[in-house]
Amino acid sequence: MMLNENMLQQLLQKLPVLRQEIKKVIVGQETVLDEVLVAMLAGGHCLLEGVPGLAKTLLVRTLAQALDLPFRRIQFTPDLMPTDIIGTEVLEEDHATGKRFFKFNKGPLFANIILADEINRTPPKTQSALLEAMQEFEVTYAGQTYPLDRPFFILATQNPIEQSGTYPLPEAQLDRFLLYIRIGYPGEQEETAILAGTTGTGKANIQPVLNATDIIQLQQLVREVAIDPELIGYVSRLVRATRPLTTTIEAVKELVRWGAGPRAGQALILTAKAFALLNGRFAVNMEDIRTMALPVLRHRVLMSFKAEAEGVQPDDVTNILLKNITRTATSIA
């Protein structure tokens, strides 16, 4: 990476400034904010889940304001069509020659930051319109491929408590989200600060901190963060331990129907690197991996019917694995 020491330090110093700009609007939610920034630095997408009124959409909008990038919001509804997202061809006429031709009009997906609001309110046919964009960073329409500008970052939101009129995301699409982030209720002091700050006349002024070049350089820098081969082995054992056929953990055999694939290991290492860089370090430690394990694995581990009946969540299984699998290769076959 062609950055001298001075340029590197200037770039890294923008990360805490970015945090502070977002905190002008978002009170508390430190873990959620860190996880969103990690997903951005790692070059992936994230799914935010929380009950109404927890500022999911506000968080994404504020992040977009703090980044000097084109932003689009797509409100997902039951009648939304794929062409409403990716665009469509329209028939036009050349006034000089009178010749007619089809022209592709790009949809709202052609931006750097996409807010897919309430993504589970639209049918799978429309949800699947995002698959190619999320994985290949391009869109194909009528046999023609259109590349998306980089960086490209999708933040999707969904409400966990509403069932009527919603369509759960299929596992294949869930796996394309780098992180599955859950937003909880604020603490008492935080909620008091929210009430005081949002019911008056004051309005925060968010200044852009990072541009497209900065983010691309940071994403390249993330991949240069060092990780010990022993920690890579630990990630491999952790992911393999989620699979009933290869695990030695009895709880997994009883409670898990389908474990995480290799993409989970890639995501865990990459997000651990991003988390280390976000905290000013150039080497991954064990705590980075343990911190990112929950949002990386919670949508990649399918629970059995028994687990669902007993109310056991993927996070419960991940916590069991984190307690039982050690850094050295002694606890898993």
Side-chain angles (χ1 to χ4, degrees), residues 24-27 55 58 191-203:
K24 289 180 181 179
V25 175
I26 303 300
V27 178
L58 181 61
E191 189 157 359
T192 302
I194 291 170
L195 297 178
T198 56
T199 56
T201 58
K203 186 176 181 181

Side-chain angles (χ1 to χ4, degrees), residues 50-61:
V51 298
L54 294 184
K56 299 184 295 296
T57 301
L58 181 61
L59 171 60
V60 179
R61 281 189 173 277

Side-chain angles (χ1 to χ4, degrees), residues 64 77 85 96 103 118 120 144 157 192 225 255 260 269 287 322:
T77 58
I85 298 174
K103 179 183 177 182
E118 298 185 286
N120 59 334
Q144 182 70 35
T157 70
T192 302
V225 172
L255 301 172
I269 291 174
E287 195 56 35
L322 291 174

Side-chain angles (χ1 to χ4, degrees), residues 105-227:
N105 281 357
K106 295 180 178 179
L109 194 61
F110 286 83
N112 293 109
I113 302 178
I114 305 296
L115 168 57
D117 214 6
E118 298 185 286
I119 191 173
N120 59 334
R121 285 194 173 277
T122 201
K125 175 183 178 180
T126 305
Q127 291 174 0
S128 64
L130 296 175
L131 290 175
E132 183 183 13
M134 294 175 71
Q135 187 64 29
E136 280 83 31
F137 298 95
E138 61 187 24
V139 168
T140 301
Y141 186 91
Q144 182 70 35
T145 299
Y146 303 89
L148 295 165
D149 291 336
R150 306 292 290 270
F152 180 70
F153 187 31
I154 291 181
L155 298 102
T157 70
Q158 69 176 15
N159 183 344
I161 61 175
E162 291 183 340
Q163 299 298 324
S164 178
T166 62
Y167 305 83
L169 292 173
E171 284 73 16
Q173 183 157 5
L174 280 173
D175 196 40
R176 281 171 167 78
F177 286 103
L178 187 68
L179 297 179
Y180 185 172
I181 301 171
R182 286 200 173 128
I183 303 180
Y185 290 108
E188 183 176 353
Q189 291 183 344
E190 294 171 346
E191 189 157 359
T192 302
I194 291 170
L195 297 178
T198 56
T199 56
T201 58
K203 186 176 181 181
N205 183 24
I206 306 299
Q207 297 297 321
V209 178
L210 295 174
N211 57 33
T213 301
D214 293 334
I215 296 172
I216 291 172
Q217 288 177 336
L218 285 166
Q219 290 175 348
Q220 293 171 346
L221 189 60
V222 163
R223 292 183 173 271
E224 297 178 18
V225 172
I227 181 170

Side-chain angles (χ1 to χ4, degrees), residues 233-234 236-243 246-249 252 321 324-326 328-333:
Y234 171 78
S236 177
R237 292 193 304 277
L238 183 65
V239 171
R240 289 179 61 81
T242 65
R243 305 168 192 164
T246 58
T247 189
T248 59
I249 308 298
V252 174
L321 294 178
N324 284 275
I325 299 176
T326 61
T328 55
T330 58
S331 61
I332 202 76

